Amino acid sequence: MTFYTYGYLTTHHNTWQYARIALLIALLAIFISLFIHYLRNRWNVKYKDLTIITGTLLLLVLGFQINSLVSLQSASKQTGEITATVQQVAKQLKVRPTQLSINTTSTGSDLLVKAPKGYYRLDYNSDGSAFVLEKITLENPKITLVKE
């Protein structure tokens, strides 16, 4: 079972976003330079073909980037919800949030919390507005802790 620390939840960023943005900027620069070169030399068809290929790659990478940004926004929202839950649990257990770990990065059912005092299960009510902490004992716990 994998548990994520509070530090991991608050500082986890997707570094591939920066690489995709750099690739997008590089493709845009190549596209513009090839298009300008094609406009200067209209008789040379290879620049037209290279411009079309680069433009197609640019649109493909742009589509991936938009899809990734939408999923990153959704993940950030879920991470914000789970960190708020961890803060509430820490307040109830009278410990710092950095001392807690949780078994998921998004809210949902079957949330387990690893605290210095033991393991706890969160039971949400039907509308998800409140929860109850229940102390549990894990049999044969094979715990992997993911830190920041």
Side-chain angles (χ1 to χ4, degrees):
M1 185 177 302
T2 304
F3 280 85
Y4 302 94
T5 63
Y6 182 76
Y8 176 82
L9 294 173
T10 55
T11 61
H12 181 66
H13 299 289
N14 194 348
T15 56
W16 284 105
Q17 293 297 325
Y18 300 118
R20 285 186 184 155
I21 290 172
L23 179 64
L24 199 64
I25 291 170
L27 280 173
L28 185 62
I30 292 170
F31 175 76
I32 290 171
S33 66
L34 284 172
F35 187 68
I36 290 172
H37 203 68
Y38 165 68
L39 290 177
R40 287 185 183 164
N41 304 316
R42 288 186 185 253
W43 53 269
N44 201 344
V45 182
K46 75 176 179 180
Y47 294 115
K48 178 182 175 183
D49 294 341
L50 287 173
T51 303
I52 291 171
I53 291 170
T54 307
T56 305
L57 283 174
L58 182 66
L59 289 175
L60 183 67
V61 171
L62 185 64
F64 283 139
Q65 183 66 22
I66 290 171
N67 184 28
S68 180
L69 284 175
V70 168
S71 64
L72 180 65
Q73 182 183 17
S74 173
S76 296
K77 182 181 175 187
Q78 288 178 348
T79 301
E81 291 172 357
I82 201 70
T83 55
T85 302
V86 170
Q87 290 170 353
Q88 290 174 351
V89 170
K91 191 180 291 183
Q92 284 187 2
L93 295 176
K94 296 179 178 71
V95 296
R96 293 188 316 258
T98 55
Q99 293 177 314
L100 299 179
S101 301
I102 196 156
N103 71 330
T104 184
T105 58
S106 62
T107 57
S109 62
D110 298 331
L111 293 177
L112 299 178
V113 176
K114 180 181 179 289
K117 301 173 186 176
Y119 294 95
Y120 294 87
R121 183 175 61 137
L122 275 77
D123 269 338
Y124 281 97
N125 62 355
S126 60
D127 64 352
S129 62
F131 61 86
V132 174
L133 279 174
E134 179 183 5
K135 188 164 182 151
I136 61 171
T137 304
L138 296 179
E139 292 184 27
N140 302 325
K142 295 177 183 169
I143 304 299
T144 304
L145 192 62
V146 179
K147 297 181 182 181
E148 46 184 302

